[in-house]
Amino acid sequence: MSRGFTRRTALTAGAGLLAAPPLVRQANAQSQFDWKRFSGERIEVSLTANPRSTILIQNQREFEDMTGIRVGAEQIPEQQHRQKFAIEFASGRPSFDVVGISLHVNKRQVGKARWCTDIKALMADPTITAPDFDFADFGEGAVAYSTQADGRMDTLPEFTDYFILYYNKELLAAKNIAPPATFDEMYDSARRLTEPSRQIYGNVGRGLRNANVVLYSSFLLGTQQRDFLDGQRRLISDSPDAIWAGEFYKKLLRDCSPPGVSGFNWNESQTTFMQGRAAFWIDGVGFAAPLEDRTRSRVAGKVGYAVVPRGPAHHHCAMFGTAFGIAEQSRKKGASWLYLQWASGKANQLRYLTSGAGSPARTSAYRNEEAISQSRFSREFFNTLIESARISRPGLPEIVPVTEFRDTLGSALTATIGGADVATELRRATEAFRPVLEQSERES
């Protein structure tokens, strides 16, 4: 696989893996709900450029015909989009009514500034919320992710990227090893499966600065602490639990992973796993489709899927995701709310899954027997996603300077792979970032 294989390619590569069943049955066709209530209005929608946004734009005529609302939608590359909507929100006059938000990057920023409206009141209004909206269908973790610390729900979940455990069935079967239930079992099995002379390793994962923090957080989530911040929002990335997670990260990547792993991001990890040279790989579900592509993957048909192992105190998986918000300044909140219901509705969520565009926030998509029966993914894959939704928690702290945090902590983690002392590195990183966080918290 070339180094030019991008995250977008990874997400779209599964387009042929999941045959799309008939998807669209107009919502509430049998009900008395008035989808035409805001007919004649026009809303502007600002989205991040990705396969899911493409699906929405390609199908928005469906929404327009159903509601009589015209939609002006744009999709902008990720980094530019984040800059654009922040500038427009700060100006007090955003050009859009609906905006796509990366929760793992912008949740705290959007929440503290109150840029998006609390949708709870809209959801509770039966005149503008369809009777089959089925809010309970959204995963608990996704709902919590879309809810601010003060209880305001200022976004509606769209996409959830759960970290799961990929494993090579063939390598495990050769040594009669079962998928691990705990992190300790994972390490012990990874050691047994590591054979450098054959270029076979028990594990592969992100070692690269910044990128590695989301793997490290998968281990921290299994401790009593679970979070990077305490109840007073103070940084505790040098606590005993944080150090335990760092020690586990260090030994797993240092003892059981390929040479050069300190420079691995998801792409290098995926390539290693696809070549059949790693037994275990913890990373996002969005990278699953290429693994089952027989034209490029040596492990197609041999991949096992499982929830991440249990930690010493808790069992959680790291979650990242996106959601839709309605601009507080919008004068078309009713029409925008109808759009959110359609955009995050069951039909579009199933489109995401069956096209390989990513993992929906709704759980019903994973239980669609028609989609599952026509998929090259095993039922184990879908069951893993359902269970991951139940045990998921945010994989990054909900702070404004999250990129700076990943850079600082990530440098410390990379150093440990080279042999540096975990406690020393985490304390140094925590001391360096603590004033940055404190300044950010004061300003927000």
Side-chain angles (χ1 to χ4, degrees), residues 183-357:
F183 285 135
D184 286 342
E185 289 179 13
M186 180 180 174
Y187 176 73
D188 291 341
S189 295
R191 285 292 301 271
R192 290 177 57 194
L193 290 159
T194 298
E195 299 182 56
S197 63
R198 297 178 55 211
Q199 294 189 319
I200 299 295
Y201 298 90
N203 176 76
V204 70
R206 304 187 190 199
L208 186 66
R209 167 182 176 266
N210 184 294
N212 54 8
V213 174
V214 294
L215 175 57
Y216 165 78
S217 70
S218 297
F219 308 137
L220 182 65
L221 286 171
T223 68
Q224 189 63 44
Q225 178 176 313
R226 296 190 289 188
D227 296 303
F228 290 102
L229 309 179
D230 66 12
Q232 287 71 50
R233 296 189 58 78
R234 294 175 301 201
L235 188 65
I236 48 174
S237 50
D238 58 352
S239 68
D241 278 346
I243 293 171
W244 176 90
E247 293 286 2
F248 186 84
Y249 173 88
K250 175 182 178 178
K251 69 181 184 181
L252 188 63
L253 271 72
R254 187 174 170 84
D255 299 347
C256 311
S257 300
V261 72
S262 60
F264 281 25
N265 200 339
W266 66 266
N267 189 8
E268 292 79 10
S269 300
Q270 183 186 65
T271 299
T272 301
F273 190 85
M274 288 173 66
Q275 291 173 344
R277 295 195 295 113
F280 299 130
W281 176 35
I282 292 177
D283 216 306
V285 299
F287 302 126
L291 305 182
E292 300 292 359
D293 183 350
R294 295 183 183 277
T295 66
R296 69 178 72 188
S297 173
R298 296 179 184 175
V299 297
K302 305 173 186 177
V303 182
Y305 305 92
V307 294
V308 296
R310 180 181 297 275
H314 293 285
H315 192 197
H316 294 297
C317 70
M319 175 185 66
F320 312 89
T322 61
F324 300 115
I326 298 174
E328 185 63 53
Q329 296 93 334
S330 173
R331 298 180 180 179
K332 300 172 183 176
K333 291 186 174 67
S336 297
W337 174 237
L338 291 187
Y339 179 85
L340 262 62
Q341 292 176 70
W342 170 80
S344 284
K346 293 180 179 179
N348 280 320
Q349 294 272 289
L350 189 56
R351 284 180 175 127
Y352 291 175
L353 185 64
T354 56
S355 68

